[in-house]
Amino acid sequence: MSMFSKVDIGGGLSDFWDYIREPRPHRWTAWGVALVLPVVVFYGFSEHLIPYDPPQRQIIYFENWTTNRSAAEVRADWIDRAKETTARNAKKRAEYQRFADSLGIEYDSAEADEVTRDTIGEEAAEAAKRRPEPPKRSTLAERAARGAAPSQDR
């Protein structure tokens, strides 16, 4: 038979209550320390273990456009930014196209490519679509055919 087969919770609680009710000389002092000590420890941890600095007010200056810009300058700026965005999108789309081709998935970007050609021009669209050339590396067979390199440690 196990020691914990019959647990008497009621008896334990009544013994604890009897112990608390006994008039001891430093009963209230012990209660005060038992309650205040954890509060002080938790407060100390929360305030000083991980200090919190409230955010400071910041003034951030940036270059603004002049008030006397013409509508043509504004439109030219918009077009420049649109061309940059379109070129970035074309590069990303070309990467997705190569990835889809490597997996054998159909990926049709003809409509988006047409918009890119209309926006940034034929040459820029083709340049964005071109795959960068990998660095040229010699194979083991090519290095063997050239012969062993002379040793430099003499």
Side-chain angles (χ1 to χ4, degrees), residues 35-114:
L35 293 175
V36 169
L37 187 64
V39 170
V40 168
V41 169
F42 284 125
Y43 175 78
F45 278 139
S46 68
E47 286 294 316
H48 303 292
L49 186 64
I50 302 172
Y52 171 74
D53 296 330
Q56 300 295 320
R57 195 170 255 199
Q58 290 182 340
I59 299 175
I60 300 173
Y61 296 97
F62 59 94
E63 187 175 333
N64 204 349
W65 296 286
T66 58
T67 57
N68 56 359
R69 283 195 325 163
S70 68
E73 290 174 330
V74 172
R75 271 194 214 93
D77 188 40
W78 288 348
I79 290 170
D80 289 342
R81 283 186 282 157
K83 285 182 179 181
E84 289 172 11
T85 302
T86 304
R88 276 195 312 268
N89 290 344
K91 285 180 184 177
K92 193 57 108 172
R93 196 170 46 254
E95 289 175 17
Y96 284 129
Q97 181 71 52
R98 286 190 290 274
F99 181 63
D101 291 344
S102 71
L103 294 177
I105 299 172
E106 284 188 41
Y107 178 78
D108 184 23
S109 64
E111 192 175 320
D113 290 340
E114 184 180 335

